[in-house]
Amino acid sequence: MLGVTDYGAFVVAFLILLAIPGPGNFALITATGKGGIKGGLAATLGVILGDQVLMWLAVAGVATLLAAYPAAFHVVQWAGAAYLAWLGLRMVLSKPGGAPRESRMASGHYLRQTMMITLLNPKAIMFYMAFFPLFVDPVRHQGVVTFAFMAVTVAALTFLYGLIAVLLTHHLAERMRANPRVSNLLERLAGACLVGFGIKLAAMR
């Protein structure tokens, strides 16, 4: 289909990738808990934009260049680890009275945050470098058309996944807001998870 070797397998593989717990999922859940459906959808858009940038960079060969020069890849790795740790520490050290102010953050904040998390995730970079070639038919490949078709598929699947995650998280968050103490505890727990992801990312060197 438009130069894709096995479109069904491509869709299934990407859905599995989306479902794997990671910093992007935690950031999406946190954005929904603090910014509601609007904040969650903005975070989803951030993930989509980050994925699109990485995918087209991979097509352009930048991901291969990073793999060929480990020092450059390590810089991205450390930057991603530091960013995740910084976000996590902010959440861990947040005060119970700070939740209302955070919930009024502009949607652009959540969009930029999840986009940066995606862009600075070395696993995502390696994924796009190694994943797409597996599903490109060398005989029926149509160049930009094939990659554009795959890019649209990635964006659509991410949006559907994000929409479901946002609606489920918002439903649970509405119940949790009745108890600010529990809500703040969950925020700190999510922050600790982001710090953990940052440490794990740094240890991958």
Side-chain angles (χ1 to χ4, degrees), residues 1-196:
M1 182 183 290
L2 292 179
V4 181
T5 302
D6 190 335
Y7 186 71
F10 171 69
V11 170
V12 172
F14 189 74
L15 287 174
I16 293 175
L17 174 74
L18 287 173
I20 295 175
N25 277 312
F26 276 99
L28 180 62
I29 292 172
T30 302
T32 304
K34 295 163 69 175
I37 293 178
K38 187 176 180 180
L41 290 179
T44 300
L45 181 57
V47 174
I48 291 174
L49 291 176
D51 280 337
Q52 292 298 309
V53 171
L54 289 179
M55 197 208 85
W56 288 106
L57 286 177
V59 171
V62 174
T64 304
L65 186 64
L66 285 176
Y69 294 92
F73 188 76
H74 289 328
V75 170
V76 175
Q77 198 167 6
W78 279 112
Y83 186 67
L84 288 178
W86 177 72
L87 288 177
L89 284 174
R90 283 186 60 188
M91 295 169 66
V92 170
L93 300 176
S94 64
K95 297 179 181 179
R101 179 183 67 82
E102 292 287 341
S103 64
R104 291 195 293 268
M105 280 184 175
S107 298
H109 167 80
Y110 301 114
L111 185 152
R112 290 189 297 272
Q113 181 173 289
T114 53
M115 184 173 68
M116 287 300 297
I117 287 175
T118 304
L119 289 174
L120 292 174
N121 188 349
K123 283 187 176 180
I125 296 173
M126 296 302 293
F127 165 78
Y128 280 105
M129 183 182 67
F131 183 70
F132 280 89
L134 297 177
F135 294 95
V136 175
D137 191 325
V139 177
R140 297 184 176 87
H141 181 250
Q142 300 179 32
V144 175
V145 174
T146 297
F147 287 113
F149 176 58
M150 298 174 83
V152 170
T153 299
V154 165
L157 292 175
T158 303
F159 177 77
L160 290 176
Y161 173 84
L163 179 62
I164 294 173
V166 166
L167 293 177
L168 289 176
T169 302
H170 180 69
H171 176 70
L172 294 175
E174 284 293 308
R175 297 189 175 187
M176 298 306 301
R177 285 193 183 98
N179 193 331
R181 183 173 297 179
V182 174
S183 179
N184 185 254
L185 177 63
L186 290 177
E187 181 177 353
R188 294 188 179 190
L189 179 61
C193 288
L194 287 180
V195 172

